[in-house]
Short mmCIF file of all heavy atoms in Angstrom, two decimals:
data_model
loop_
_atom_site.label_atom_id
_atom_site.label_comp_id
_atom_site.label_asym_id
_atom_site.label_seq_id
_atom_site.Cartn_x
_atom_site.Cartn_y
_atom_site.Cartn_z
N PHE A 1 18.79 14.87 -24.91
CA PHE A 1 18.26 16.06 -25.59
C PHE A 1 18.18 17.23 -24.54
O PHE A 1 17.41 17.13 -23.61
CB PHE A 1 16.93 15.85 -26.20
CG PHE A 1 16.99 14.80 -27.28
CD1 PHE A 1 15.98 13.81 -27.38
CD2 PHE A 1 17.99 14.79 -28.22
CE1 PHE A 1 16.04 12.86 -28.38
CE2 PHE A 1 18.04 13.85 -29.23
CZ PHE A 1 17.06 12.85 -29.32
N SER A 2 18.97 18.24 -24.73
CA SER A 2 19.09 19.26 -23.71
C SER A 2 17.88 20.22 -23.64
O SER A 2 17.56 20.79 -22.56
CB SER A 2 20.32 20.10 -23.95
OG SER A 2 20.30 20.74 -25.25
N HIS A 3 17.13 20.38 -24.71
CA HIS A 3 16.00 21.30 -24.68
C HIS A 3 15.17 21.09 -25.98
O HIS A 3 15.49 20.32 -26.85
CB HIS A 3 16.46 22.73 -24.59
CG HIS A 3 17.43 23.11 -25.68
ND1 HIS A 3 17.07 23.39 -26.96
CD2 HIS A 3 18.76 23.25 -25.65
CE1 HIS A 3 18.05 23.68 -27.72
NE2 HIS A 3 19.18 23.61 -26.92
N GLY A 4 14.05 21.81 -25.97
CA GLY A 4 13.27 21.87 -27.23
C GLY A 4 12.24 20.71 -27.34
O GLY A 4 11.99 19.97 -26.40
N GLU A 5 11.71 20.59 -28.58
CA GLU A 5 10.63 19.63 -28.79
C GLU A 5 11.05 18.21 -28.58
O GLU A 5 10.26 17.37 -28.14
CB GLU A 5 10.17 19.78 -30.28
CG GLU A 5 9.38 21.08 -30.54
CD GLU A 5 8.83 21.16 -31.96
OE1 GLU A 5 8.94 20.14 -32.65
OE2 GLU A 5 8.34 22.21 -32.31
N GLU A 6 12.31 17.89 -28.94
CA GLU A 6 12.78 16.49 -28.79
C GLU A 6 12.76 16.08 -27.31
O GLU A 6 12.31 14.99 -26.94
CB GLU A 6 14.15 16.37 -29.37
CG GLU A 6 14.21 16.39 -30.92
CD GLU A 6 15.58 16.21 -31.43
OE1 GLU A 6 16.56 16.73 -30.83
OE2 GLU A 6 15.77 15.54 -32.48
N GLN A 7 13.25 16.95 -26.44
CA GLN A 7 13.26 16.62 -25.03
C GLN A 7 11.79 16.59 -24.43
O GLN A 7 11.48 15.70 -23.65
CB GLN A 7 14.09 17.54 -24.19
CG GLN A 7 14.26 17.07 -22.72
CD GLN A 7 14.94 18.05 -21.80
OE1 GLN A 7 14.58 19.24 -21.83
NE2 GLN A 7 15.87 17.58 -20.98
N ASP A 8 10.98 17.52 -24.87
CA ASP A 8 9.62 17.55 -24.40
C ASP A 8 8.90 16.27 -24.81
O ASP A 8 8.15 15.68 -23.97
CB ASP A 8 8.88 18.79 -25.01
CG ASP A 8 9.34 20.04 -24.44
OD1 ASP A 8 9.98 20.01 -23.36
OD2 ASP A 8 9.03 21.12 -25.09
N LYS A 9 9.10 15.81 -26.00
CA LYS A 9 8.46 14.53 -26.50
C LYS A 9 9.01 13.37 -25.69
O LYS A 9 8.23 12.50 -25.26
CB LYS A 9 8.81 14.35 -27.96
CG LYS A 9 8.22 13.04 -28.55
CD LYS A 9 8.60 12.88 -30.00
CE LYS A 9 8.09 11.53 -30.55
NZ LYS A 9 8.49 11.36 -31.97
N ALA A 10 10.38 13.35 -25.40
CA ALA A 10 10.92 12.25 -24.64
C ALA A 10 10.38 12.23 -23.21
O ALA A 10 10.09 11.11 -22.69
CB ALA A 10 12.46 12.38 -24.64
N LEU A 11 10.20 13.41 -22.61
CA LEU A 11 9.75 13.49 -21.24
C LEU A 11 8.29 13.01 -21.15
O LEU A 11 7.89 12.26 -20.28
CB LEU A 11 9.82 14.96 -20.73
CG LEU A 11 11.21 15.39 -20.25
CD1 LEU A 11 11.20 16.88 -19.98
CD2 LEU A 11 11.59 14.67 -18.95
N LYS A 12 7.50 13.45 -22.16
CA LYS A 12 6.09 13.04 -22.22
C LYS A 12 5.99 11.51 -22.32
O LYS A 12 5.18 10.85 -21.62
CB LYS A 12 5.37 13.71 -23.39
CG LYS A 12 3.89 13.41 -23.44
CD LYS A 12 3.20 14.15 -24.63
CE LYS A 12 1.77 13.73 -24.73
NZ LYS A 12 1.09 14.39 -25.92
N GLN A 13 6.78 10.96 -23.21
CA GLN A 13 6.77 9.48 -23.39
C GLN A 13 7.24 8.76 -22.14
O GLN A 13 6.63 7.76 -21.74
CB GLN A 13 7.67 9.11 -24.55
CG GLN A 13 7.12 9.48 -25.92
CD GLN A 13 8.04 9.12 -27.03
OE1 GLN A 13 9.27 9.06 -26.86
NE2 GLN A 13 7.54 8.88 -28.23
N THR A 14 8.23 9.30 -21.48
CA THR A 14 8.76 8.66 -20.25
C THR A 14 7.64 8.62 -19.17
O THR A 14 7.46 7.53 -18.56
CB THR A 14 9.96 9.46 -19.67
OG1 THR A 14 11.01 9.44 -20.68
CG2 THR A 14 10.46 8.87 -18.42
N ILE A 15 6.98 9.70 -19.04
CA ILE A 15 5.89 9.71 -18.02
C ILE A 15 4.73 8.79 -18.39
O ILE A 15 4.20 8.12 -17.53
CB ILE A 15 5.38 11.17 -17.82
CG1 ILE A 15 6.45 12.02 -17.19
CG2 ILE A 15 4.11 11.27 -16.99
CD1 ILE A 15 6.23 13.51 -17.15
N GLU A 16 4.42 8.71 -19.64
CA GLU A 16 3.38 7.84 -20.13
C GLU A 16 3.76 6.35 -19.84
O GLU A 16 2.94 5.54 -19.39
CB GLU A 16 3.13 7.99 -21.58
CG GLU A 16 2.39 9.29 -21.95
CD GLU A 16 2.26 9.51 -23.46
OE1 GLU A 16 2.78 8.68 -24.23
OE2 GLU A 16 1.56 10.46 -23.88
N TYR A 17 4.99 6.00 -20.10
CA TYR A 17 5.45 4.68 -19.84
C TYR A 17 5.53 4.32 -18.39
O TYR A 17 5.20 3.21 -17.98
CB TYR A 17 6.80 4.42 -20.53
CG TYR A 17 6.76 4.64 -22.05
CD1 TYR A 17 7.89 5.11 -22.73
CD2 TYR A 17 5.61 4.32 -22.84
CE1 TYR A 17 7.86 5.35 -24.08
CE2 TYR A 17 5.58 4.50 -24.21
CZ TYR A 17 6.73 5.05 -24.82
OH TYR A 17 6.73 5.23 -26.18
N LEU A 18 5.96 5.31 -17.59
CA LEU A 18 5.97 5.07 -16.14
C LEU A 18 4.53 4.84 -15.59
O LEU A 18 4.36 4.07 -14.70
CB LEU A 18 6.60 6.26 -15.47
CG LEU A 18 8.13 6.33 -15.52
CD1 LEU A 18 8.60 7.73 -15.01
CD2 LEU A 18 8.80 5.22 -14.73
N GLU A 19 3.56 5.56 -16.12
CA GLU A 19 2.15 5.35 -15.72
C GLU A 19 1.73 3.91 -15.99
O GLU A 19 1.04 3.29 -15.17
CB GLU A 19 1.26 6.34 -16.48
CG GLU A 19 1.36 7.80 -15.98
CD GLU A 19 0.50 8.72 -16.81
OE1 GLU A 19 0.12 8.33 -17.99
OE2 GLU A 19 0.22 9.82 -16.32
N ILE A 20 2.11 3.43 -17.14
CA ILE A 20 1.72 2.03 -17.50
C ILE A 20 2.37 1.03 -16.57
O ILE A 20 1.71 0.11 -16.04
CB ILE A 20 2.13 1.73 -18.95
CG1 ILE A 20 1.29 2.57 -19.95
CG2 ILE A 20 1.96 0.23 -19.25
CD1 ILE A 20 1.77 2.52 -21.37
N ILE A 21 3.64 1.21 -16.29
CA ILE A 21 4.35 0.29 -15.36
C ILE A 21 3.85 0.42 -13.96
O ILE A 21 3.72 -0.54 -13.22
CB ILE A 21 5.85 0.53 -15.47
CG1 ILE A 21 6.37 0.17 -16.89
CG2 ILE A 21 6.61 -0.30 -14.42
CD1 ILE A 21 7.82 0.56 -17.14
N ASN A 22 3.54 1.67 -13.58
CA ASN A 22 2.96 1.90 -12.20
C ASN A 22 1.70 1.05 -12.03
O ASN A 22 1.50 0.45 -11.00
CB ASN A 22 2.68 3.39 -12.06
CG ASN A 22 2.11 3.68 -10.67
OD1 ASN A 22 2.78 3.65 -9.63
ND2 ASN A 22 0.84 4.09 -10.66
N GLY A 23 0.85 1.03 -13.04
CA GLY A 23 -0.36 0.26 -12.97
C GLY A 23 -0.13 -1.24 -12.86
O GLY A 23 -0.86 -1.92 -12.19
N GLU A 24 0.95 -1.75 -13.48
CA GLU A 24 1.35 -3.13 -13.41
C GLU A 24 1.77 -3.53 -12.01
O GLU A 24 1.75 -4.73 -11.66
CB GLU A 24 2.38 -3.45 -14.43
CG GLU A 24 1.91 -3.58 -15.83
CD GLU A 24 0.87 -4.60 -16.04
OE1 GLU A 24 1.14 -5.79 -15.65
OE2 GLU A 24 -0.23 -4.31 -16.54
N LEU A 25 2.24 -2.56 -11.22
CA LEU A 25 2.79 -2.88 -9.91
C LEU A 25 1.72 -2.71 -8.78
O LEU A 25 2.06 -2.94 -7.66
CB LEU A 25 3.93 -1.91 -9.61
CG LEU A 25 5.26 -2.29 -10.32
CD1 LEU A 25 6.22 -1.09 -10.29
CD2 LEU A 25 5.85 -3.51 -9.66
N LYS A 26 0.53 -2.37 -9.16
CA LYS A 26 -0.51 -2.21 -8.10
C LYS A 26 -0.71 -3.49 -7.35
O LYS A 26 -0.94 -4.56 -7.89
CB LYS A 26 -1.86 -1.75 -8.76
CG LYS A 26 -2.91 -1.47 -7.76
CD LYS A 26 -4.20 -0.99 -8.47
CE LYS A 26 -5.27 -0.64 -7.46
NZ LYS A 26 -6.54 -0.08 -8.10
N GLY A 27 -0.63 -3.35 -6.02
CA GLY A 27 -0.89 -4.50 -5.13
C GLY A 27 0.26 -5.49 -5.08
O GLY A 27 0.11 -6.62 -4.55
N LYS A 28 1.40 -5.15 -5.69
CA LYS A 28 2.58 -6.08 -5.72
C LYS A 28 3.78 -5.51 -4.98
O LYS A 28 4.01 -4.32 -5.05
CB LYS A 28 2.97 -6.37 -7.16
CG LYS A 28 1.93 -7.05 -8.02
CD LYS A 28 2.37 -7.18 -9.41
CE LYS A 28 1.35 -7.79 -10.33
NZ LYS A 28 1.81 -7.84 -11.74
N LYS A 29 4.48 -6.37 -4.28
CA LYS A 29 5.77 -5.99 -3.69
C LYS A 29 6.86 -5.91 -4.79
O LYS A 29 7.64 -4.97 -4.87
CB LYS A 29 6.20 -6.97 -2.60
CG LYS A 29 7.47 -6.61 -1.91
CD LYS A 29 7.77 -7.54 -0.75
CE LYS A 29 9.03 -7.14 -0.01
NZ LYS A 29 9.37 -8.05 1.10
N PHE A 30 6.87 -6.97 -5.63
CA PHE A 30 7.75 -7.08 -6.75
C PHE A 30 6.89 -7.37 -7.98
O PHE A 30 5.71 -7.64 -7.87
CB PHE A 30 8.81 -8.09 -6.58
CG PHE A 30 9.75 -7.83 -5.41
CD1 PHE A 30 9.69 -8.59 -4.30
CD2 PHE A 30 10.69 -6.79 -5.49
CE1 PHE A 30 10.51 -8.36 -3.19
CE2 PHE A 30 11.57 -6.57 -4.40
CZ PHE A 30 11.44 -7.30 -3.26
N PHE A 31 7.48 -7.32 -9.15
CA PHE A 31 6.70 -7.58 -10.38
C PHE A 31 6.01 -8.93 -10.38
O PHE A 31 4.93 -9.06 -10.85
CB PHE A 31 7.57 -7.37 -11.62
CG PHE A 31 7.76 -5.95 -12.07
CD1 PHE A 31 8.89 -5.27 -11.71
CD2 PHE A 31 6.81 -5.38 -12.86
CE1 PHE A 31 9.07 -3.95 -12.08
CE2 PHE A 31 6.94 -4.04 -13.25
CZ PHE A 31 8.08 -3.33 -12.88
N GLY A 32 6.69 -9.92 -9.82
CA GLY A 32 6.13 -11.28 -9.82
C GLY A 32 5.34 -11.57 -8.56
O GLY A 32 4.83 -12.67 -8.42
N GLY A 33 5.22 -10.60 -7.68
CA GLY A 33 4.48 -10.88 -6.40
C GLY A 33 5.35 -10.55 -5.20
O GLY A 33 5.85 -9.46 -5.01
N GLU A 34 5.55 -11.64 -4.40
CA GLU A 34 6.32 -11.38 -3.10
C GLU A 34 7.77 -11.66 -3.29
O GLU A 34 8.59 -11.36 -2.37
CB GLU A 34 5.76 -12.33 -2.03
CG GLU A 34 4.33 -11.95 -1.59
CD GLU A 34 4.30 -10.56 -0.97
OE1 GLU A 34 5.14 -10.28 -0.10
OE2 GLU A 34 3.43 -9.75 -1.38
N THR A 35 8.23 -12.18 -4.40
CA THR A 35 9.65 -12.58 -4.55
C THR A 35 10.27 -11.84 -5.72
O THR A 35 9.68 -11.71 -6.80
CB THR A 35 9.76 -14.14 -4.81
OG1 THR A 35 9.01 -14.82 -3.81
CG2 THR A 35 11.21 -14.55 -4.83
#
């Protein structure tokens, strides 16, 4: 989506989802730990 509400919505969702995944990685080298 090149511009407008659709892209704004997609960008907002992307950042929200990255925040969630970022929290899951706290204290970890990889998602499962050290490997």
Side-chain angles (χ1 to χ4, degrees):
F1 296 137
S2 58
H3 54 77
E5 290 183 9
E6 288 180 322
Q7 189 187 45
D8 290 343
K9 179 182 176 182
L11 281 171
K12 182 180 178 181
Q13 288 179 331
T14 299
I15 292 170
E16 287 176 357
Y17 299 146
L18 284 170
E19 286 176 341
I20 294 170
I21 294 173
N22 180 70
E24 285 299 308
L25 283 164
K26 184 177 181 179
K28 298 177 183 177
K29 183 177 181 180
F30 298 108
F31 277 97
E34 291 298 311
T35 307

